[in-house]
Amino acid sequence: MNTNPVIYNPVPEDTSGVQLSEDVLALCEEMAKNTHEVWARTRMEQGWTYGPARDDEKKEHPCLVPYEELPEEEKEYDRNTAMETLKLIIKLGYDIKK
């Protein structure tokens, strides 16, 4: 058993210079919603249900609600994940076209 603490320093790609078009920003919101839907489905498949507070023992979570009903801070978490993914795709030289 390793008793040494792991030192982890996350270094995501710097996407601060990437600007997203209005179309891609709209895509970002759809991706954020889908990210939540995938997370919620996975949790439910694992036996989790809605609860007023997170309880790992009972497998209850307050975010097991439709995306539209999430608190804004939870939506921002999903939006950030989607936005950073889209920015990285563009930074790596890919085009996003409808």
Side-chain angles (χ1 to χ4, degrees), residues 4-49:
N4 294 329
V6 175
I7 298 172
Y8 172 57
N9 183 26
V11 184
E13 288 285 332
D14 180 8
T15 60
S16 60
V18 177
Q19 298 296 313
L20 301 179
S21 68
E22 290 299 317
D23 285 348
V24 175
L25 286 173
L27 173 61
C28 181
E29 187 66 16
E30 290 301 315
M31 287 178 63
K33 180 178 178 179
N34 195 62
T35 296
H36 174 70
E37 294 296 312
V38 170
W39 171 84
R41 181 181 63 199
T42 301
R43 286 290 195 189
M44 289 176 174
E45 287 171 351
Q46 295 169 342
W48 286 73
T49 59

Side-chain angles (χ1 to χ4, degrees), residues 76-89:
E76 276 303 310
Y77 179 83
D78 292 331
R79 287 179 187 130
N80 186 54
T81 299
M83 187 171 303
E84 287 302 316
T85 300
L86 290 166
K87 284 182 171 185
L88 180 61
I89 290 168

